[in-house]
Amino acid sequence: MKRLAHITDRSAQLLGLIGFSSLTVALLVAHANPATGYELSIYASTPLWVWIGIGVAFLMGALIAFLTTNHLYRRFGIVLGGASSFAVISLPVVRGYLFHGIHDSMTHVGVIRELTAGTMTPYESVYPGIHSVAAFIAGFTGLSVWESLMLVPLGTALVFYIFTPLVVRGIVGGETAITVGAFSAFLLVPLHQLAVTIHAHPSSQAILFAPIVLYLVVGYLRSPGAERTLGSLTALTGIVVLTVGATILYHPMQAFNVLLILAAIVFVQLLSSNDRSPWTHRSLIPVLAVSAVLFVAWIGQAPGIVPVLTGTADSLAAYVTGSSSAGAGSAIGSQTASLSAIGSSPVVVFLKLFGVSTLFIIAAGSLVLTVLTRSTDGSVDTDRMIVYLATSLLVMVPVFGVYMFGNVGQYYFRQAGFMMFVVVALGAIAITYGIMALSETKFRVAVGPSVATVFVVLFLLSSLVLFNSPYIHRANQHVTDARVDGYETTFEMTGEDAILNGVMQEPQRYYDAIVSLENNGQRDGTVNSSQMNRLREKAEAGDWHLIISQNTYERELTAYREHRFSRSDFESIDRQIGVNRVFSNGDTELYYVR
């Protein structure tokens, strides 16, 4: 009988030496080539040798992990693969970015600044998890609030790397499960550049933190106490509830999804309580009950949560009654028109952003279908775990619908991001079963090399959309020192009562980060394409200032291919009567309009 393809320990050592050396050189080259100005694409601005080094390292890690028979070397292969993936998402830090993330991320910087200054308490924040951790890092290390906040998403990514494979192994068991789970996690499938990102974003960080909760839940279900209907309030119960509480502090709405997972498990347990098949799982009712109390207690006092919930209900009711057509449909229609205008299409962008996700959805769906038809070779215990996860996805679908038709920003994409975390676990289990099945056939020799190759290709595809870039018709959210200096100068020169406008990006976000979270409504304005050539007309209600940064030009002219603003629109600013340039520091320009 042919054996599975494998490599010797000496070969594993050689591949490991090549991989770790390549990764080290890549990081050194990246660090030696810091960003010197705004970078529209971190992919194009990072030296090619960095990407080659990271790619070689991931390839070596995959080959070692899937081809060695030595457990220790397999662990080294997994670590090498994870380090390669981590190197990609840490490039903004390695290459000296002041900060990465605009819009909400800038406001989060302001919250942390006020926490460290003692002018705000964690209880005044809806998401004190990310803010408190970043403030602690700043106080403990002496790093700036900008640098400290950039480290928090990297920390939650490590949680995702570690606990996703532990979840898969906890359900299926075996070395194959933890290897497949690890390399599935390294793809960071839940992240996409629509509403779930790698920069500071509480909802995204809550998603990456969630695997630790599921890992503890799996352990809890199999712990002693199954014979008791309601389980018991043990130390393990407390640990599970503690992690659920941490998720609530990271983002309450994603914590609600965690509660849905717990509720789905309880539902399946109650539905199967009279089943004649073996039942050895401990009741999750105590965990669900205590967690629900914590959730209600927090959202009841957290600022801003109740208005969002009532606004969602009102929007959904308006959609159902037909009094409003706003929702995901109109947003998707607008995006489709924009993509067509710049020569792209929704299908192309979808494949770029969600191609890897789609493969995992297919794998997960096939697994669930197989389990429901009782066609797997897994144990009853494992099948029940899979049913738990499948049911949790099912109960999350209505929430996705509420967000989608309730016109709640892009919350439906955030919901999809959380659901993809569960899908990744199921998909990894499906791949594990597939490898085990093929290992018993005549194709056994090709299984290891083939799986390693597939994961390398998926890694390349997923890495291309971890950051905004023209590849997906978006601009990198790189914040430069010069831009921050420019905004600081602007706020000092104009005063608190001055009217400030940006170009499709409100200056208030920078005011939040640099000066204060107070908003007098004077810095929320933006200029649209129809106003760019007639700036003076906006001055009828009073004099005002226009601020433009280098990222504005790069975003509109290159990433968006002049769809909203043309080059002539920007060139017209200096020629317009009543528009005067106040200053320019090479990155940021301030104009006075009267």
Side-chain angles (χ1 to χ4, degrees), residues 143-190:
L143 295 173
S144 69
V145 293
W146 304 89
E147 296 166 317
S148 300
L149 184 55
M150 277 207 297
L151 296 179
V152 178
L154 299 182
T156 54
L158 288 177
V159 172
F160 190 81
Y161 287 163
I162 294 170
F163 286 94
T164 298
L166 291 179
V167 167
V168 177
R169 188 184 68 170
I171 295 176
V172 181
E175 288 292 311
T176 301
I178 197 168
T179 304
V180 172
F183 279 86
S184 298
F186 301 157
L187 303 178
L188 292 171
V189 174

Side-chain angles (χ1 to χ4, degrees), residues 68 95 113 196 209 242 254-255 257 277 288 346 370 396 427 459 504 543 567 587:
T68 186
R95 298 194 56 242
R113 175 184 47 74
V196 186
F209 183 80
L242 183 64
Q254 296 299 0
N257 284 322
S277 61
L288 175 60
T370 303
M396 289 183 210
F459 175 68
M504 307 301 292
D543 299 352
R567 189 175 301 276
D587 180 281

Side-chain angles (χ1 to χ4, degrees), residues 327-341:
S330 58
I332 293 173
S334 176
Q335 292 294 325
T336 299
S338 298
L339 289 171
S340 299

Side-chain angles (χ1 to χ4, degrees), residues 186 191 472:
F186 301 157
L191 299 187
I472 54 174

Side-chain angles (χ1 to χ4, degrees), residues 11 42 45 81 149 169 177 185 207 220 229 237 347 432 481 522 570:
S11 297
I42 195 171
S45 300
L149 184 55
R169 188 184 68 170
I207 292 172
Y220 177 92
T229 304
T237 306
V347 175
T432 300
D481 294 83
Q522 301 286 71
F570 288 111

Side-chain angles (χ1 to χ4, degrees), residues 119-390:
T119 57
M120 182 179 182
T121 67
Y123 299 104
E124 298 176 72
S125 170
V126 181
Y127 323 110
I130 183 175
H131 300 145
S132 299
V133 172
F136 172 79
I137 293 173
F140 184 75
T141 64
L143 295 173
S144 69
V145 293
W146 304 89
E147 296 166 317
S148 300
L149 184 55
M150 277 207 297
L151 296 179
V152 178
L154 299 182
T156 54
L158 288 177
V159 172
F160 190 81
Y161 287 163
I162 294 170
F163 286 94
T164 298
L166 291 179
V167 167
V168 177
R169 188 184 68 170
I171 295 176
V172 181
E175 288 292 311
T176 301
I178 197 168
T179 304
V180 172
F183 279 86
S184 298
F186 301 157
L187 303 178
L188 292 171
V189 174
L191 299 187
H192 49 75
Q193 295 302 319
L194 291 177
V196 186
T197 69
I198 195 56
H199 59 248
H201 187 242
S203 180
S204 302
Q205 276 74 74
I207 292 172
L208 296 180
F209 183 80
I212 191 174
V213 181
L214 186 55
Y215 169 71
L216 291 173
V217 167
V218 171
Y220 177 92
L221 290 170
R222 289 176 171 158
S223 64
E227 69 281 358
R228 288 176 283 237
T229 304
L230 296 180
S232 59
L233 296 177
T234 63
L236 183 56
T237 306
I239 294 173
V240 177
V241 171
L242 183 64
T243 56
V244 174
T247 310
I248 294 172
L249 297 181
Y250 265 107
H251 199 282
M253 302 314 292
Q254 296 299 0
F256 180 68
N257 284 322
V258 172
L259 292 182
L260 289 180
I261 292 178
L262 302 181
I265 294 174
V266 169
F267 173 76
V268 174
Q269 288 181 329
L270 295 176
L271 195 65
S272 307
S273 59
N274 296 322
D275 198 326
R276 292 181 177 274
S277 61
W279 185 256
T280 57
H281 292 166
R282 187 175 179 179
S283 173
L284 204 60
I285 292 177
V287 173
L288 175 60
V290 178
S291 298
V293 169
L294 291 178
F295 177 78
V296 173
W298 179 256
I299 65 171
Q301 61 83 43
I305 292 292
V306 174
V308 170
L309 294 177
T310 55
T312 301
D314 292 341
S315 297
L316 184 62
Y319 180 85
V320 172
T321 58
S323 58
S324 173
S325 60
S330 58
I332 293 173
S334 176
Q335 292 294 325
T336 299
S338 298
L339 289 171
S340 299
I342 61 177
S344 185
S345 72
V347 175
V348 172
V349 174
F350 176 87
L351 291 176
K352 290 178 179 179
L353 289 173
F354 305 109
V356 177
S357 302
T358 301
L359 295 178
F360 272 87
I361 291 173
I362 294 172
S366 300
L367 172 70
V368 173
L369 182 62
T370 303
V371 169
L372 293 179
T373 56
R374 302 185 183 277
S375 302
T376 67
D377 295 327
S379 65
V380 172
D381 178 84
T382 298
D383 287 352
R384 286 196 185 279
M385 290 288 186
I386 295 171
V387 171
Y388 289 155
L389 295 183

Side-chain angles (χ1 to χ4, degrees), residues 98-99 101-114 127 131 145-146 149 199-202 409-411 414 477 479 483-484 486-488 490-491 500-526 547 549 551 555:
L98 171 68
F99 191 64
I102 56 176
H103 303 304
D104 287 356
S105 297
M106 303 296 289
T107 301
H108 295 314
V109 172
V111 173
I112 298 163
R113 175 184 47 74
E114 300 208 356
Y127 323 110
H131 300 145
V145 293
W146 304 89
L149 184 55
H199 59 248
H201 187 242
Q410 291 186 331
Y411 265 67
R414 300 183 188 185
Q477 296 197 17
V479 178
R483 192 191 312 168
V484 173
Y487 273 92
E488 285 181 340
T490 295
F491 297 141
L500 292 175
N501 283 254
V503 178
M504 307 301 292
Q505 184 176 324
E506 63 275 18
Q508 178 62 41
R509 295 292 194 174
Y510 290 89
Y511 192 85
D512 290 344
I514 298 169
V515 182
S516 171
L517 294 174
E518 295 183 3
N519 187 352
N520 60 7
Q522 301 286 71
R523 296 171 292 271
D524 291 329
T526 62
I547 188 166
S549 296
N551 77 310
R555 180 188 70 229

